[in-house]
Amino acid sequence: MDGGAVGVRYDAHAAQERWAAFWESDRTFAPLDDGSKERRYVLDMFPYPSGDLHMGHAEAFAMGDVWARYLKLRGYDVMHPIGWDSFGLPAENAAIKRNAHPAEWTYANIETQANSFKRYGLSLDWSRRLHTSDPEYYHWTQWLFLRFRERGLAYRKASWVNWCPNDQTVLANEQVINGECERCGAAVTKRQLTQWFFKVTEYADRLLDDMEQLEAGWPERVLTMQRNWIGRSTGAHVDFAIDGRDEPVTVFTTRPDTLYGATYFVVAPEADLAAEIVTDDQREEFEAYRAKTQQATEIERQATDRPKTGVFLGRYAINPVNGERMPIWAADYVLADYGTGAVMAVPAHDQRDLDFARAFDLPVRKVVDTGEDDPVETGIATTGDGRYVNSDVLNDLSDKESGVAAIIERLEAAGTGKAAITYRLRDWLLSRQRFWGAPIPIIHCATCGEVPVPDDQLPVELPYLTGTDLNPKGTSPLAAASEWVNVSCPTCGGPATRDTDTMDTFVDSSWYFFRYCSPGFKEGPFDPEDVRRWMPVAQYVGGVEHAILHLLYMRFFTKALYDMGMLDFTEPMRRLLNQGQVINEGKSMSKSLGNGVDLGEQIENFGVDAVRLTMIFAGPPEDDIDWADLSPSGSVKFLQRAYRLAADVTSEPGVDPAGGDATLRSTSHRTLADITQCIETQRFNVAVAKIMELVNATRKVIDTGAGPADPAVREAAEFVAITLSLVSPYVAEEMWEQLGHQPSVAATTWPEVDQSLLTIESVTCVIQIKGKIRGRLEVSPTIGEDELRNLALAEESVQRALDGREIAKIIVRAPKLVSIVPA
Ligand code: ANZ
Ligand code: ZN
């Protein structure tokens, strides 16, 4: 089957060495940035240097490279930079274990990964390389922090925070997954600490509303996850007077229309209010309860099947619409950091409240008649629409919308409430009690308070700490570096101390894509002119695990920088592609399962081109791919087959294809049109399948058709080389050279589809039996002889005419004729 000059092969490993060196010295992938071409910025989420590159990186970067190479061939000036997200806990843990400095481990891993990236044939611009742990980079992370602080977007306050008892550090809400530490899986508890926050909540509405700009280019599921995370709830704030307290207490409710059904009042046990209002009689019981809730993890507190617990605080709240006195309880199903930390409980229409009321024998009063069975009897709260009952002014109404509007009007008139919106989104807790991060550039002075480090003293560099100095102690390891900590106050010159916390690494990654536009810029984090030329990013590629963390934070940074006048756009990434995971034998790869696949080994065995081809061909980019189901050796065979086309071509470069085999030309242009469409719509796997078809069609014409000298064969082989270069760049370069071209295929242009050649979609094949026409078939012009023979014999009219007779002779002239002679 497999024709071509026997033994002609490309040597994958030799090609890798050769072309990687060529691209580097030729600076093939450095953008021109001279305005001669339209600019496009293609970006892969930058890696964390945890070790060498793994299969996940290989997939993501292969996807990104399809884009970058494609856009370059389409004539754009493409910027495709690379760098490292090189601060973070794993480096610190490794340093403690090996009694070394985190930088050693970090920068050694970066070098390993950089070499692997180069071997992997990515069209990267190495001149823009950055590491977030370099002082030249974190200088500007600190500078941005100070600018945010000036605008009130960075502030410090005492609050209940998520605490990981294992890593001995605080965590952002986003880093707590089902009540567990995202990093180590330990159950997260709460602690009251003074911490730094970014005021993301100020941008909640814009983060939601600007998603309109992303609808066309971002996956819907990421947008949905962000919407849910921001969690905008509309309802009302209602003020309840408290017996014996001057100030009323406000609750947030989404159902102010059920106000007449409120029968008790609940405060979060750790809310200051609870400790303030509890009566002396109840204090002991309350304090024991509060201590217990602090040990409970978020998972436990939110579990629905968990028995409801709580303590009566001995006090009463007054319902503003009917003056009823309602007992105030502390219960852990109410969270301190949502809404106002206090709720009016309406057991008839809220299941959590009903469960609690039944546990503590509190009254239940129905105020909406939904026609369902009475919640008092069933124990099931009714939440739907219905006629209002027991609700005074609402009793004539029967739908929620008018109920809510009527009660809000009444509350507003009386000055006891108003329409309100609440968000699930919290401010971003950014300080960490760890070493390997950007120090917070603040000095604490007994006289002057918080004093920012003056800009001309940035960066505040990390002191040199190693090994056991870094052991987690509950406070930052930096606190022990007394020479570093003790400074004189920049304002009054008196004795002062540095802030000893470092910034969450998500701060570093919230602005790195701007820095790529201005590598080495000394007057700021980036030159706004550079960013204006290159951004927004045309295509961002990375894992869906960042759907809310990184992808929300970087949107927040962008909006804040826009408000500072440094940008002229509000969304940084036009399009987002989330690649799936590479799994093995149905499961995520992991050390404990022992099912890890080593990227280096795969490359050793099959070569970079075949590994990349296998990744891309495996399925749609966003799907998970199971390495066990794939055949990198099949990819190797295909690549050799493609290569041999180029080796076989005998016509000269530049020959006019016009006189060449018409059907092959039609196939080439149709396939090229399809491939182009597939790339544009991110169906990279289908694009590969089309390239395979074109290889087969060309092979057939070389072996059994017009032959290797036909100019259409050259055209087809060139199409193969160019389109294949997106996925398997080394073989493509080899082909391009075999075809007599100067390097590099990456620097050529994507061929034009000749529309006039697309028309011949099928040809009519005549089936003769003993010279008489017995049937016709519509077939592809490139159909193979075996396939055509089988199709012809399967035709009903042919079967009938043969009537069971044996066949003496069959002549197949694909695609137009099959001639059968029966015995
Ligand atoms: C009375 C009520 C009646 C409520 C009813 C619901 C149904 P979402 O939709 O998630 O925003 N709530 C308010 N603050 C809370 C807190 N800190 N911890 C726990 N629950 C809290 O939820 C808003 C509803 O959750 C609010 O509306 C409040 O209960 C409760 F038939 O108020 B509702
Ligand atoms: Zn001072």
Side-chain angles (χ1 to χ4, degrees):
M1 264 312 286
D2 200 354
V6 181
V8 174
R9 302 176 62 80
Y10 94 104
D11 177 338
H13 294 281
Q16 283 164 211
E17 286 196 14
R18 211 173 137 223
W19 293 106
F22 175 85
W23 295 324
E24 189 154 357
S25 65
D26 180 57
R27 295 176 47 79
T28 312
F29 303 111
L32 303 170
D33 199 12
D34 61 1
S36 61
K37 294 172 168 186
E38 244 188 272
R39 296 177 179 85
R40 287 286 184 277
Y41 184 175
V42 178
L43 184 62
D44 310 279
M45 288 183 188
F46 66 165
Y48 179 76
S50 52
D52 200 353
L53 298 184
H54 52 65
M55 297 295 277
H57 293 122
E59 190 196 13
F61 281 87
M63 302 287 173
D65 212 40
V66 169
W67 268 112
R69 287 176 176 271
Y70 174 69
L71 291 177
K72 183 169 164 61
L73 290 169
R74 294 302 316 222
Y76 293 104
D77 194 16
V78 173
M79 176 165 92
H80 187 203
I82 183 76
W84 277 268
D85 187 14
S86 50
F87 269 141
L89 259 186
E92 204 168 319
N93 292 337
I96 293 169
K97 208 148 121 205
R98 303 162 35 189
N99 196 25
H101 193 278
E104 274 178 33
W105 181 89
T106 303
Y107 288 91
N109 285 346
I110 289 176
E111 270 329 291
T112 307
Q113 291 195 350
N115 289 329
S116 297
F117 273 129
K118 286 181 182 167
R119 180 173 63 165
Y120 200 54
L122 300 172
S123 62
L124 295 168
D125 174 11
W126 288 90
S127 68
R128 291 165 193 268
R129 172 171 175 174
L130 60 81
H131 316 126
T132 59
S133 55
D134 291 352
E136 303 80 73
Y137 184 88
Y138 70 73
H139 179 161
W140 301 109
T141 307
Q142 293 174 335
W143 185 92
L144 286 166
F145 173 90
L146 292 177
R147 297 295 88 78
F148 279 27
R149 184 174 169 278
E150 284 161 9
R151 302 181 67 83
L153 292 177
Y155 67 92
R156 195 164 176 251
K157 75 158 192 220
S159 70
W160 288 98
V161 297
N162 302 306
W163 179 259
C164 173
N166 179 45
D167 290 332
Q168 294 271 305
T169 189
V170 301
L171 300 170
N173 284 344
E174 289 84 343
Q175 289 164 325
V176 180
I177 309 297
N178 297 324
E180 294 173 352
C181 171
E182 175 200 57
R183 291 208 187 83
C184 71
V188 170
T189 56
K190 293 273 183 183
R191 269 202 180 186
Q192 194 163 34
L193 290 171
T194 300
Q195 297 288 331
W196 287 97
F197 294 84
F198 279 139
K199 207 169 187 179
V200 195
T201 50
E202 190 165 309
Y203 286 82
D205 280 320
R206 282 165 67 187
L207 287 165
L208 276 175
D209 298 340
D210 288 350
M211 275 187 218
E212 209 172 277
Q213 295 178 47
L214 306 177
E215 238 126 55
W218 282 39
E220 188 48 48
R221 70 170 166 161
V222 173
L223 298 181
T224 305
M225 282 165 83
Q226 292 212 357
R227 259 185 220 110
N228 293 340
W229 186 258
I230 297 165
R232 180 156 65 190
S233 275
T234 42
H237 277 150
V238 185
D239 302 332
F240 287 74
I242 307 285
D243 251 359
R245 186 183 195 263
D246 293 340
E247 283 291 297
V249 171
T250 304
V251 304
F252 173 73
T253 174
T254 47
R255 295 292 308 268
D257 56 317
T258 62
L259 187 49
Y260 290 91
T263 56
Y264 65 100
F265 196 92
V266 197
V267 238
E270 67 272 47
D272 293 342
L273 179 69
E276 180 205 316
I277 64 173
V278 64
T279 56
D280 290 342
D281 287 354
Q282 295 296 101
R283 186 169 300 276
E284 203 178 315
E285 198 187 332
F286 162 71
E287 270 167 9
Y289 180 66
R290 185 177 59 180
K292 220 168 66 199
T293 37
Q294 270 160 33
Q295 283 154 15
T297 64
E298 294 269 301
I299 312 185
E300 290 161 353
R301 281 181 68 159
Q302 286 167 14
T304 45
D305 55 356
R306 179 165 168 261
K308 290 276 180 294
T309 59
V311 188
F312 175 49
L313 297 180
R315 299 277 282 263
Y316 293 84
I318 318 293
N319 189 327
V321 286
N322 58 13
E324 257 177 41
R325 293 176 83 233
M326 310 183 307
I328 306 178
W329 287 68
D332 69 0
Y333 76 98
V334 172
L335 307 170
D337 59 359
Y338 185 67
T340 63
V343 308
M344 65 178 216
V346 185
H349 306 297
D350 183 293
Q351 191 61 45
R352 298 159 296 182
D353 296 344
L354 185 56
D355 294 342
F356 190 84
R358 286 162 70 95
F360 293 96
D361 233 352
L362 292 159
V364 179
R365 183 192 309 137
K366 184 166 92 176
V367 289
V368 182
D369 186 2
T370 63
E372 290 157 282
D373 291 339
D374 196 329
V376 181
E377 276 137 42
T378 58
I380 297 165
T382 59
T383 57
D385 261 16
R387 174 164 288 284
Y388 290 95
V389 293
N390 304 319
S391 292
D392 191 23
V393 295
L394 302 184
N395 285 346
D396 296 335
L397 306 173
S398 56
D399 69 292
K400 195 168 119 187
E401 204 179 315
S402 7
V404 169
I407 198 80
I408 286 177
E409 199 181 316
R410 180 159 174 190
L411 290 167
E412 283 180 349
T416 49
K418 55 178 190 297
I421 296 176
T422 281
Y423 302 88
R424 198 174 107 79
L425 183 70
R426 297 277 77 98
D427 280 343
W428 170 10
L429 196 171
L430 70 107
S431 44
R432 296 287 178 276
Q433 291 69 52
R434 301 299 303 221
F435 171 73
W436 193 232
I440 290 181
I442 292 289
I443 290 168
H444 300 280
C445 167
T447 319
C448 313
E450 271 171 28
V451 182
V453 173
D455 280 359
D456 62 6
Q457 290 170 31
L458 297 180
V460 176
E461 287 199 39
L462 284 167
Y464 192 83
L465 298 183
T466 57
T468 48
D469 300 343
L470 305 174
N471 266 332
K473 304 168 184 76
T475 56
S476 170
L478 287 171
S482 50
E483 268 176 46
W484 181 85
V485 170
N486 294 307
V487 289
S488 44
C489 168
T491 306
C492 71
T497 56
R498 289 193 188 281
D499 198 295
T500 57
D501 287 351
T502 54
M503 294 189 231
D504 180 5
T505 55
F506 280 107
V507 182
D508 308 331
S509 55
S510 290
W511 71 278
Y512 76 108
F513 41 90
F514 298 121
R515 184 73 183 169
Y516 281 140
C517 301
S518 294
F521 188 60
K522 297 230 160 40
E523 279 84 61
F526 54 85
D527 181 344
E529 268 309 297
D530 293 335
V531 167
R532 198 186 46 71
R533 286 199 312 282
W534 285 107
M535 289 192 70
V537 168
Q539 180 69 55
Y540 197 30
V541 181
V544 75
E545 67 274 17
H546 294 297
I548 42 181
L549 290 141
H550 164 60
L551 291 175
L552 194 68
Y553 292 155
M554 60 113 197
R555 294 183 59 222
F556 158 69
F557 258 63
T558 304
K559 290 172 203 306
L561 288 165
Y562 172 85
D563 291 350
M564 288 160 63
M566 291 177 68
L567 303 175
D568 57 6
F569 51 87
T570 53
E571 287 294 339
M573 312 290 172
R574 282 245 159 79
R575 298 224 293 188
L576 172 68
L577 172 63
N578 291 133
Q579 84 286 352
Q581 279 188 4
V582 188
I583 60 174
N584 192 28
E585 293 158 348
K587 298 188 192 74
S588 291
M589 295 184 199
S590 79
K591 276 211 181 90
S592 58
L593 289 173
N595 68 339
V597 176
D598 183 65
L599 175 63
E601 220 168 83
Q602 296 295 313
I603 291 177
E604 207 43 56
N605 292 343
F606 305 107
V608 166
D609 283 337
V611 169
R612 289 177 56 156
L613 184 88
T614 307
M615 297 262 175
I616 302 281
F617 187 45
E622 58 284 351
D623 286 8
D624 287 351
I625 58 178
D626 193 330
W627 199 250
D629 296 343
L630 305 176
S631 167
S633 60
S635 299
V636 172
K637 277 196 199 118
F638 162 72
L639 292 170
Q640 294 295 1
R641 195 167 152 77
Y643 176 74
R644 278 193 295 273
L645 295 182
D648 284 357
V649 168
T650 54
S651 58
E652 288 303 310
V655 65
D656 184 1
D661 184 282
T663 34
L664 179 59
R665 290 209 71 206
S666 165
T667 305
S668 298
H669 283 264
R670 208 168 348 97
T671 311
L672 177 64
D674 288 348
I675 293 169
T676 309
Q677 238 257 319
C678 288
I679 301 294
E680 297 275 353
T681 54
Q682 302 186 346
R683 289 175 302 141
F684 302 156
N685 56 322
V686 186
V688 170
K690 298 278 170 192
I691 301 173
M692 292 174 170
E693 279 175 28
L694 182 56
V695 168
N696 291 341
T698 314
R699 170 54 52 203
K700 195 184 142 217
V701 174
I702 294 175
D703 289 351
T704 60
D710 190 283
V713 167
R714 163 170 287 276
E715 181 181 53
E718 293 189 350
F719 284 9
V720 170
I722 294 169
T723 55
L724 193 55
S725 76
L726 309 186
V727 180
S728 301
Y730 292 111
V731 73
E733 292 287 11
E734 296 276 311
M735 288 179 73
W736 200 239
E737 188 176 55
Q738 273 289 335
L739 287 163
H741 293 288
Q742 290 303 312
S744 141
V745 71
T748 185
T749 48
W750 193 256
E752 288 275 340
V753 174
D754 184 338
Q755 301 290 334
S756 71
L757 294 172
L758 301 187
T759 39
I760 315 168
E761 301 232 309
S762 65
V763 289
T764 307
C765 172
V766 171
I767 309 169
Q768 297 180 340
I769 295 179
K770 275 197 359 226
K772 254 193 165 167
I773 294 176
R774 291 294 187 176
R776 286 188 169 82
L777 278 171
E778 287 300 308
V779 297
S780 152
T782 57
I783 191 165
E785 290 191 357
D786 290 340
E787 193 185 347
L788 186 57
R789 177 185 296 113
N790 293 340
L791 277 178
L793 290 174
E795 265 300 284
E796 224 187 286
S797 58
V798 174
Q799 288 289 324
R800 228 181 298 120
L802 285 173
D803 197 21
R805 283 175 290 175
E806 292 280 301
I807 294 165
K809 194 171 168 199
I810 179 163
I811 299 159
V812 182
R813 297 252 184 278
K816 297 217 166 125
L817 176 76
V818 178
S819 174
I820 301 168
V821 182

